[in-house]
Amino acid sequence: MKSIRSKLAIATCTLLSQGAQQAGAVESSWTADTSYLLYSETDRVTVNKLFTSANVTLGDNHLLQLEAVYDTITGATPTGAVKSGGPVTVTTPSSGGKGYRAVSGNPALAKFDDTRLGLNLGLVQSLRRTLRINYGASVSVERDYEAYGGSLALERDNEDRSVTFTAGVAGSYDTIFQSSGGTPKPMGSVEENGGNPEFFGPGKKRGFEGMLGVSRIINRRTVARLNYSLKRLEGYLTDPYKVISMVREGIELRRFYESRPDSRQRQALYGELVHRLENRDTIRLAYRYYWDDWGIFSHTIDYRHRRNLLGGRYLEPRLRLYTQSSADFFYPSLPFGVEPEYASADYRLDQMNSATLGLKYGQPALGGTLRLRLEYLYQTFAEAEYDTNQALIFQASFKKEFD
Amino acid sequence: MNRSGTLLLCALCISLQACAAFRLEPVKPWQRGILAQEAMQLEADPAERFADEHIYFSKEGSTGGRAVGGGGCGCN
């Protein structure tokens, strides 16, 4: 009996020391989580991603977070040109043999390959029992893209730690260029100067972001959170590889590099609810409403249902549904004689619906936790030259805590 | 009862059950055993979230909402 009382006392003290959002994080000196991800589209892009993270406790008041990611990306992606493109020489946006190359006989699709190395560093400092500050820094480098960022977030619990308020800001500075070095003139003709169009230097993009959030213990079986985020991007927001065709009666007459506005304001409301059912299953429901000043509005619903099995194993089916409107300057192609200031045929700016269906399996292994997930992504686009996209997603992760 | 009436009754039952399940109640620290479990965390699987954010940032026109910061990419 004394032993049980002692264990209960220890458990109570542990719980008292934790906030609403991290009610159950197990104390440990460090934790490592390593993943392999395969993302494979039908006849298009394949991504292999390796990433690892480590959380290291430094004394009573500091937690150091390190993340490293390495991606290899190969395959073919839509250029924005129409499939029926005739005699116009396909744009060779890039790249010393390592960027885009036209897929033989199909100007609407371009082969490419790239690698990406990213590092994130975070430090969580407990200032008081109910107040934490998170510092973050990130760097990501590809052959044709560099990104640097920093963030600062405050987390404040109420006295009984049933509510946590979060306020965060972040800034980023990115450099974009074709892997040959420059960026094409927006709405510049691909064929001008005998196929040597005007190019500028690398594009610069600055980002400023703010977020307010609240998470709350609803009852003994439920926790929820609500976030609002605002992000402003300024600078070169165009994709230097994408083009758009000018078409008359189904025949491509000319081809231009795309052009996007030099600012974008993105806002999102995000809510998430986690609930334990009476049968010990856990359901997780998230919803996001997103809107920006490019004319894109979207709804995202993400539902996970975790069925606990014997021996710490579990199965977790997932359904994610997404729908968005098109950007104001999206055109599948330009009618003859129309040359707007901004135009893009990028399928990601088209009206789209997207569904992901998947299953995750988890079990204890080698003193840690093994997770495997397999998902199928299906996207449909209203007007883009390629009106569907399908992908398989496989991820294997292993997490282990060390004392 | 016709079909729409049956559906309405079902919806009402589900709503009442949902209201009961998500009713706001004070929870003492020693009543947080279920909430302390890994599956109940708002950040239950950061590795999955990290991968998802990269995938959907690359394939959709929307992003954000969960947190601030993180590395960008020129993904296609």
Side-chain angles (χ1 to χ4, degrees):
Chain A
M1 180 62 81
K2 188 178 176 183
S3 166
I4 292 170
R5 201 175 294 148
S6 164
K7 284 177 181 171
L8 278 172
I10 291 168
T12 304
C13 291
T14 305
L15 290 168
L16 278 167
S17 68
Q18 294 162 349
Q21 199 162 352
Q22 296 173 329
V26 177
E27 295 286 343
S28 67
S29 57
W30 67 287
T31 304
D33 197 354
T34 301
S35 263
Y36 164 74
L37 175 85
L38 171 67
Y39 171 87
S40 181
E41 293 177 354
T42 307
D43 300 327
R44 302 230 308 240
V45 172
T46 298
V47 179
N48 285 278
K49 180 193 283 280
L50 271 174
F51 56 109
T52 189
S53 68
N55 289 354
V56 185
T57 304
L58 303 172
D60 292 336
N61 297 322
H62 293 85
L63 176 69
L64 184 66
Q65 299 170 317
L66 300 160
E67 286 178 349
V69 55
Y70 179 74
D71 296 341
T72 62
I73 309 152
T74 57
T77 188
T79 60
V82 294
K83 292 176 189 169
S84 60
V88 181
T89 304
V90 125
T91 180
T92 53
S94 84
S95 76
K98 289 292 183 184
Y100 276 6
R101 299 183 301 280
V103 171
S104 180
N106 185 356
L109 215 53
K111 284 184 179 173
F112 76 111
D113 62 83
D114 205 348
T115 55
R116 170 174 174 256
L117 179 65
L119 296 170
N120 297 327
L121 180 65
L123 180 68
V124 183
Q125 181 182 9
S126 295
L127 301 177
R128 294 204 299 270
R129 190 180 73 88
T130 57
L131 184 63
R132 294 172 298 284
I133 186 165
N134 296 7
Y135 307 91
S138 63
V139 57
S140 171
V141 179
E142 297 165 60
R143 287 199 183 101
D144 51 11
Y145 200 96
E146 293 172 6
Y148 303 91
S151 64
L152 189 68
L154 278 172
E155 288 182 9
R156 172 77 190 260
D157 307 323
N158 68 345
E159 266 313 301
D160 73 356
R161 312 192 78 177
S162 60
V163 182
T164 300
F165 299 98
T166 307
V169 292
S172 61
Y173 183 78
D174 299 359
T175 306
I176 308 108
F177 43 89
Q178 288 193 359
S179 46
S180 54
T183 54
K185 177 185 171 187
M187 292 308 293
S189 171
V190 172
E191 313 92 69
E192 72 180 8
N193 294 331
N196 291 302
E198 187 176 1
F199 266 63
F200 302 127
K204 309 288 185 186
K205 178 165 74 177
R206 296 166 299 281
F208 312 95
E209 192 175 0
M211 194 196 83
L212 293 172
V214 58
S215 60
R216 156 144 219 149
I217 292 174
I218 305 294
N219 55 43
R220 295 165 66 163
R221 295 175 168 273
T222 314
V223 62
R225 72 169 155 184
L226 184 65
N227 291 343
Y228 164 75
S229 65
L230 168 68
K231 183 168 191 176
R232 183 163 181 83
L233 294 163
E234 293 178 351
Y236 185 84
L237 306 183
T238 296
D239 187 324
Y241 293 122
K242 298 291 186 197
V243 296
I244 184 165
S245 300
M246 180 176 283
V247 171
R248 183 164 63 179
E249 295 173 0
I251 305 296
E252 183 186 47
L253 301 175
R254 298 178 68 191
R255 190 174 299 169
F256 301 92
Y257 286 106
E258 69 152 45
S259 170
R260 306 185 189 192
D262 58 8
S263 71
R264 186 178 193 182
Q265 189 158 294
R266 322 178 85 157
Q267 299 181 76
L269 268 176
Y270 176 82
E272 185 173 356
L273 185 81
V274 186
H275 179 70
R276 171 62 58 89
L277 299 174
E278 294 292 339
N279 67 357
R280 298 182 66 245
D281 287 4
T282 302
I283 57 171
R284 182 179 298 267
L285 180 65
Y287 168 77
R288 181 185 67 188
Y289 177 62
Y290 166 98
W291 68 105
D292 67 28
D293 60 0
W294 283 7
I296 293 180
F297 298 80
S298 74
H299 301 274
T300 313
I301 294 175
D302 199 348
Y303 177 74
R304 291 176 169 87
H305 190 120
R306 176 160 160 169
R307 164 60 58 99
N308 291 306
L309 309 172
L310 293 174
R313 294 173 295 128
Y314 64 87
L315 278 174
E316 187 177 278
R318 178 207 191 172
L319 177 64
R320 181 184 185 274
L321 300 173
Y322 174 83
T323 182
Q324 78 171 43
S325 61
S326 64
D328 298 334
F329 52 88
F330 173 81
Y331 302 86
S333 60
L334 293 173
F336 177 66
V338 175
E339 292 186 38
E341 182 180 9
Y342 304 119
S344 174
D346 189 335
Y347 65 97
R348 294 166 296 189
L349 300 177
D350 190 7
Q351 181 185 329
M352 78 163 82
N353 295 309
S354 176
T356 307
L357 188 62
L359 184 67
K360 182 162 79 167
Y361 169 75
Q363 71 163 56
L366 303 170
T369 312
L370 175 70
R371 290 103 69 206
L372 303 169
R373 71 160 164 151
L374 185 64
E375 296 183 347
Y376 172 70
L377 166 68
Y378 184 73
Q379 296 180 290
T380 58
F381 306 93
E383 295 184 281
E385 191 69 5
Y386 288 88
D387 59 0
T388 60
N389 180 39
Q390 301 176 69
L392 277 177
I393 300 162
F394 171 73
Q395 184 172 3
S397 307
F398 181 70
K399 180 179 180 181
K400 186 164 174 131
E401 295 166 357
F402 300 87
D403 293 325
Chain B
M1 188 181 292
N2 62 23
R3 193 175 168 195
S4 59
T6 308
L7 284 173
L8 194 65
L9 190 62
C10 286
L12 189 65
C13 288
I14 291 168
S15 303
L16 285 173
Q17 282 196 326
C19 286
F22 304 139
R23 191 174 57 232
L24 192 61
E25 292 172 349
V27 183
K28 300 294 183 189
W30 55 86
Q31 296 175 320
R32 297 181 187 179
I34 290 173
L35 298 172
Q37 293 172 10
E38 183 265 338
M40 293 296 294
Q41 303 309 300
L42 289 169
E43 295 295 342
D45 193 340
E48 184 179 326
R49 173 180 53 81
F50 182 75
D52 272 2
E53 284 180 0
H54 188 187
I55 290 169
Y56 295 111
F57 168 82
S58 307
K59 294 294 157 190
E60 295 172 347
S62 312
T63 187
R66 293 180 67 117
V68 292
C73 72
C75 311
N76 282 288

